[in-house]
């Protein structure tokens, strides 16, 4: 995949996120539950922590070493507080859907590991997190190695 193609996909995803951020509060107010397909999970703070963690772990089990696959996943968190461990694998987007990052708070560990051969961080691209705040369970920031950035 070329850098130009990847940037184009990132722009499309950003546009989609913007639409979701506008649409979800209105749908929630009407009591409607949107369906974006099996690869998009929407979490609500009223859901049991164990149920949320089970779904996160299932996505990570698929995406942890899934470099160059066609599988994509999005984990969307409605505004509120969540106490979960949030590993982020390949082709996984994690998004808080509040009006500001402080509206969606993750208390726990959020990380993208460079656990390939020799801790090779040059393969940690194609994963993202935005629109949420993190309070690490250990009190210190978790690992988020990266090989490419967009400015």
């Amino acid at each position: 995949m070329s850098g130009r193609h990847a940037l184009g996909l990132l722009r499309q995803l950003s546009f989609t996120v913007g639409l979701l951020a506008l649409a979800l509060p209105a749908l929630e107010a009407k009591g409607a539950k949107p369906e974006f397909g099996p690869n998009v999970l929407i979490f609500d703070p009223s859901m049991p922590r164990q149920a949320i963690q089970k779904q996160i772990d299932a996505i990570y089990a698929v995406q942890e070493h899934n470099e160059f696959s066609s599988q994509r996943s999005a984990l969307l968190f409605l505004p509120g507080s969540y106490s979960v461990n949030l590993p982020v694998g390949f082709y996984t987007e994690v998004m808080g859907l509040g009006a500001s990052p402080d509206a969606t708070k993750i208390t726990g560990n959020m990380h993208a590991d460079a656990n390939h051969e020799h801790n090779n961080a040059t393969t940690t691209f194609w994963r993202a997190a935005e629109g949420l705040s993190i309070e690490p369970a250990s009190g210190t920031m978790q690992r988020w190695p990266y090989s490419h950035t967009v400015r």
Side-chain angles (χ1 to χ4, degrees):
M1 175 184 291
S2 72
R4 176 174 267 166
H5 188 319
L7 187 56
L9 288 174
L10 183 60
R11 285 185 182 136
Q12 289 176 339
L13 184 59
S14 295
F15 178 74
T16 302
V17 169
L19 289 177
L20 285 172
L22 293 173
L24 284 176
L27 289 171
E28 185 178 17
K30 293 180 181 179
K33 184 170 181 175
E35 177 56 51
F36 296 108
N39 297 339
V40 178
L41 302 178
I42 302 172
F43 300 114
D44 182 295
S46 67
M47 296 172 67
R49 185 194 71 75
Q50 296 85 354
I52 295 172
Q53 189 65 59
K54 185 176 179 178
Q55 290 181 299
I56 291 168
D57 292 344
I59 294 292
Y60 189 64
V62 171
Q63 299 297 72
E64 179 180 10
H65 298 290
N66 215 8
E67 184 178 12
F68 301 118
S69 79
S70 60
Q71 177 74 28
R72 304 293 185 266
S73 300
L75 307 176
L76 310 179
F77 290 84
L78 291 171
S81 295
Y82 302 84
S83 180
V84 293
N85 179 39
L86 195 47
V88 181
F90 285 104
Y91 303 107
T92 302
E93 174 85 17
V94 179
M95 293 173 270
L97 299 176
S100 74
D102 289 333
T104 305
K105 179 181 175 185
I106 305 293
T107 300
N109 300 320
M110 182 172 182
H111 52 92
D113 292 324
N115 57 2
H116 290 290
E117 188 175 338
H118 307 294
N119 288 325
N120 184 358
T122 63
T123 63
T124 59
F125 43 91
W126 295 315
R127 54 188 97 203
E130 61 184 297
L132 45 85
S133 62
I134 308 294
E135 184 176 315
S138 65
T140 60
M141 192 59 188
Q142 300 299 304
R143 287 188 306 178
W144 192 280
Y146 60 91
S147 62
H148 299 83
T149 61
V150 177
R151 294 182 187 201

